[in-house]
Amino acid sequence: MILNFITWNADPVIFSLGPIELRWYGLAFAIGFIIGYNIVAKMFKHEGAPEKWLGVLLTYIVVATIVGSRLGHVFFYQWDYYSQHLDEIFKIWEGGLASHGGTIGNIIAILLFSWIVTKKNPSWTFDKLVVPVALVGGLIRFGNLMNSEIYGGVTDLPWGFIFVRDGQTLPMHPTQIYEALCYFALFGLLMWMYWKKNAQERPWLITGVFFIGIFLPRFLIEYIKNVQVVKEVEMIAEYGINMGQLLSIPFIIIGVVMVVYAMIKPRQQWTYPEKFADAEEPKKK
């Protein structure tokens, strides 16, 4: 007899050494950053950008992702609690990161990186960075699955998960997997657009497709996802959507505008030296 559900009791900790723990969530994050760094490095080399920009960009993005995701969770989802426990805002290890906050943080970081470092239109950096970000998004949802968190409501579908570690006894929608599959598919699409179609020659096109491909699935999947914080119960009752959906709408609209703008503008003609620019200062005689 084939079971019509999956009993899920994965340990979120890979191994521990005293007080130090290696978790699947953290490993997924780290793998995403490593792969993402190498993808962007190949893009920089492909277009002849200085190699030294890579380390600077990585620093901007790591800080922006962590700070933005944390503050997004604090202010968008649980400000009522954290406003009374300000010291706990810094306790990132206890959980509580919001993808919308991370997105806003990265937008600010890329704008600063463009103005301070590259001196190029921000689209030049955005259209590269969003490609591996889609991959990182999928890996993070894998981490959520291993943590038995951010899942959906009860389902009778054969792939329903019983999240034993979170105290569930009924099969639930594995919305972490739904989102991860959408993000991995988006990553493949963006890689194809960049490497096979030279879509970067239409500034903002790749970024626009990214915003639509990330936030439209997120908006739709939220309908079957469990409420994460009590505050959202009142919001759903009053407006019919939750905070995650409300925050997704502006990004979807921005994505559509970007795609339209990119397609009505003439395609630019770029050259690809396939090597890093010579960043060495000329020697003084």
Side-chain angles (χ1 to χ4, degrees), residues 7 16-17 32 50 54 105 127 146 160 176 179 212 231 235 267:
T7 301
S16 59
L17 185 61
L54 287 166
D127 284 342
M146 299 306 292
Q176 315 98 320
E179 287 190 59
I212 297 170
K231 180 180 178 181
M235 186 173 181
R267 176 187 284 270

Side-chain angles (χ1 to χ4, degrees), residues 12-210:
V13 179
I14 303 174
F15 70 84
S16 59
L17 185 61
I20 301 175
E21 293 183 341
L22 176 61
R23 290 176 168 264
W24 288 106
Y25 188 94
L27 180 62
F29 227 117
I31 291 174
F33 271 109
I34 292 170
I35 295 176
Y37 179 88
N38 283 280
I39 290 174
V40 175
K42 289 182 178 180
M43 292 175 172
F44 274 34
K45 184 176 182 180
H46 181 56
E47 298 181 21
E51 186 175 10
K52 66 181 181 181
W53 286 356
L54 287 166
V56 180
L57 178 60
L58 178 64
T59 302
Y60 275 63
I61 295 306
V62 170
V63 174
T65 299
I66 295 174
V67 175
S69 298
R70 182 57 173 174
L71 293 182
H73 175 78
V74 169
F75 290 113
F76 294 150
Y77 291 95
Q78 289 192 290
W79 178 240
D80 290 345
Y81 173 80
Y82 285 107
S83 63
Q84 305 301 316
H85 305 81
L86 296 177
D87 59 308
E88 295 190 21
I89 292 177
F90 304 99
K91 297 180 179 180
I92 298 177
W93 56 89
E94 293 184 357
L97 300 174
S99 58
H100 294 90
T103 300
I104 295 172
N106 278 306
I107 289 174
I108 295 172
I110 295 174
L111 291 175
L112 291 174
F113 177 76
S114 300
W115 293 331
I116 298 171
V117 181
T118 70
K119 311 298 183 184
K120 292 177 176 285
N121 189 299
S123 65
W124 185 86
T125 304
F126 274 109
D127 284 342
K128 294 169 182 56
L129 192 62
V130 296
V131 177
V133 168
L135 173 65
V136 173
L139 290 172
I140 288 175
R141 284 297 177 251
F142 168 77
N144 294 139
L145 177 65
M146 299 306 292
N147 284 346
S148 296
E149 62 186 3
I150 313 182
Y151 48 81
V154 177
T155 180
D156 57 1
L157 294 171
W159 54 81
F161 275 50
I162 298 180
F163 292 97
V164 177
R165 189 170 292 272
D166 202 39
Q168 299 295 339
T169 58
L170 296 174
M172 305 287 184
H173 280 288
T175 50
Q176 315 98 320
I177 296 178
Y178 300 167
E179 287 190 59
L181 291 176
C182 290
Y183 301 159
F184 289 145
L186 176 63
F187 168 67
L189 172 62
L190 298 180
M191 287 286 282
W192 176 78
M193 289 176 64
Y194 182 91
W195 292 107
K196 297 298 183 181
K197 294 299 180 180
N198 288 340
Q200 64 274 18
E201 295 179 357
R202 292 188 180 276
W204 297 116
L205 178 59
I206 293 177
T207 304
V209 172
F210 167 82

